[in-house]
Amino acid sequence: MRKACLALLLAASVSPAFAQDKTVDLKVSHWVPASHPLQKSLEDWVAAVNKDSGGTITGKVFPAQQLGKAFDHYDMARDGIADVTYVNPGYQPGRFPIIGAGELPFLISDAKGGSEGLDAWYRKYAEKEMKDVKYCLAFVHSPSSFHSRTKKIVMPEDVKGMKIRPAHATMANFVTSLGGTNVQSSAPEVRDIIERGVADAVTFPWGSLVLFGIDKVTKYDMDAPLYTTTFVFVINKDKYNAMSDKQKAAIDKNCSTEMAGVVGEYWGKFEDGGIDKVKAESDHEVYKLTPDQTAAWKKAAEPLVKTWGEGAKKAGIDPDAALSELKASLKKYNALAE
């Protein structure tokens, strides 16, 4: 009897070490439709975290701005309105100047390698620039360009006088420098502002052009790798810090450069598939640039590097060194544009 009691006491004393972690439920928020490839990427991310945590981390993905507007998603993670959010840093000009390097024209050639190269480079800067949240990963979509309702944009001077919805702060600067006017809106609002004539054109990737129905209100499509957009997944710090070591390890494993490539590749294939869909539409004119036209666009974009550098310098980093590091990282992952 005494031995049995001792055995029970011993079991009680050691059982906390083997106790199941408390279940953590994550609210995961994004602002594109549930039909967008990002929905599946986030569902897959939650499933991977669930598996690696031994089933103790669960989560639900809320699409289409259900928990808040697209522009607010960084602050939503910071404030705990959502636990994991999808953020376009370029939606808030001047707030995240360092990661804006990934938005520079003719820099990134591929979604998968571009995502890996950007993420691997940005990790050392994320703690400085996104200190209100736990940084998870960064990625880009496939390179894209202008889609216009009113006229064919072939040369940089064609932008003059046009009203354009830019993808992010860098493209907004580009439009302004070329004599155009920016019209700000989140992706879900683009079709409406073009249809109503509030904007004449947009910079947007191909698959999403079709998904958001923007192809129904545009006609001229430049087929050139003009720009990419940077995105991040970020996590509420308090939610992460309250997790057990095992649970944190499950999150960290899936907040990696490898996972950034997985997300980028899946989205990239979706965007690339949109080119043929738009080409098949009889009322669209899809056109490529000649080498001379491409050279003109590259020359027109040169001042953007200086503008980015000034913002990065104010953020306390050496812009020349940082941009060289980014190019080296992109080259390592075979995604540096020529």
Side-chain angles (χ1 to χ4, degrees):
M1 184 71 174
R2 187 164 173 271
K3 284 181 180 179
C5 287
L6 282 171
L8 285 170
L9 285 169
L10 184 62
S13 69
V14 299
S15 62
F18 300 99
Q20 180 81 342
D21 289 331
K22 290 181 180 176
T23 299
V24 174
D25 187 48
L26 299 176
K27 288 184 291 183
V28 182
S29 181
H30 69 83
W31 33 268
V32 292
S35 53
H36 193 281
L38 186 72
Q39 174 76 17
K40 184 176 187 305
S41 289
L42 282 168
E43 288 173 351
D44 289 349
W45 186 87
V46 170
V49 168
N50 177 266
K51 180 183 177 184
D52 292 332
S53 69
T56 64
I57 299 178
T58 60
K60 181 180 179 182
V61 180
F62 295 85
Q65 305 186 98
Q66 288 180 35
L67 301 184
K69 292 290 185 184
F71 293 102
D72 297 331
H73 269 59
Y74 179 87
D75 293 333
M76 286 163 56
R78 179 195 65 191
D79 299 338
I81 295 169
D83 302 311
V84 182
T85 65
Y86 157 65
V87 179
N88 178 343
Y91 272 177
Q92 296 180 299
R95 189 173 184 183
F96 307 105
I98 300 173
I99 198 171
E103 301 170 354
L104 292 170
F106 301 104
L107 178 66
I108 296 174
S109 63
D110 172 74
K112 181 179 188 292
S115 297
E116 292 168 331
L118 178 73
D119 178 82
W121 166 80
Y122 188 61
R123 288 190 171 270
K124 80 174 192 177
Y125 299 111
E127 186 60 35
K128 179 184 186 71
E129 187 159 78
M130 300 187 178
K131 57 183 181 295
D132 309 304
V133 295
K134 174 177 170 55
Y135 169 78
C136 179
L137 54 82
F139 57 102
V140 295
H141 60 53
S142 294
S144 192
S145 191
F146 287 103
H147 307 275
S148 171
R149 175 180 68 93
T150 55
K151 72 174 184 179
K152 195 171 173 180
I153 301 171
V154 179
M155 294 291 284
E157 49 265 35
D158 293 333
V159 173
K160 188 174 182 179
M162 294 187 73
K163 298 171 292 183
I164 296 177
R165 183 270 184 184
H168 43 60
T170 302
M171 288 307 295
N173 289 337
F174 201 16
V175 167
T176 302
S177 73
L178 297 175
T181 301
N182 288 298
V183 179
Q184 296 296 336
S185 83
S186 64
E189 300 162 336
V190 171
R191 175 176 176 166
D192 179 59
I193 64 169
I194 293 179
E195 196 165 29
R196 290 190 291 114
V198 176
D200 303 314
V202 63
T203 54
F204 221 73
W206 293 91
S208 292
L209 193 81
V210 177
L211 177 66
F212 284 92
I214 302 166
D215 60 319
K216 301 291 186 280
V217 294
T218 52
K219 181 177 179 180
Y220 305 101
D221 309 276
M222 182 194 289
D223 185 5
L226 183 64
Y227 80 98
T228 56
T229 301
T230 62
F231 302 103
V232 293
F233 290 168
V234 294
I235 302 171
N236 176 264
K237 271 191 169 180
D238 290 340
K239 193 81 169 188
Y240 176 79
N241 290 336
M243 294 180 187
S244 71
D245 288 345
K246 181 180 177 181
Q247 290 170 330
K248 286 178 181 174
I251 294 287
D252 293 347
K253 181 180 176 183
N254 291 284
C255 287
S256 65
T257 296
E258 181 183 5
M259 182 61 79
V262 170
V263 175
E265 181 179 26
Y266 185 67
W267 187 342
K269 286 179 178 178
F270 165 77
E271 299 296 2
D272 292 341
I275 297 177
D276 289 338
K277 290 179 182 177
V278 176
K279 282 180 177 178
E281 297 180 25
S282 59
D283 56 347
H284 272 258
E285 182 179 348
V286 178
Y287 57 95
K288 288 186 178 288
L289 300 178
T290 67
D292 286 348
Q293 290 165 348
T294 300
W297 281 101
K298 287 183 176 180
K299 186 169 180 57
E302 284 174 3
L304 296 175
V305 178
K306 184 183 177 185
T307 302
W308 170 79
E310 289 168 353
K313 205 168 186 178
K314 285 178 184 175
I317 71 162
D318 179 341
D320 293 334
L323 190 55
S324 293
E325 290 167 3
L326 175 56
K327 288 180 177 177
S329 185
L330 291 169
K331 188 173 183 180
K332 176 183 174 182
Y333 291 99
N334 300 311
L336 180 63
E338 295 180 359

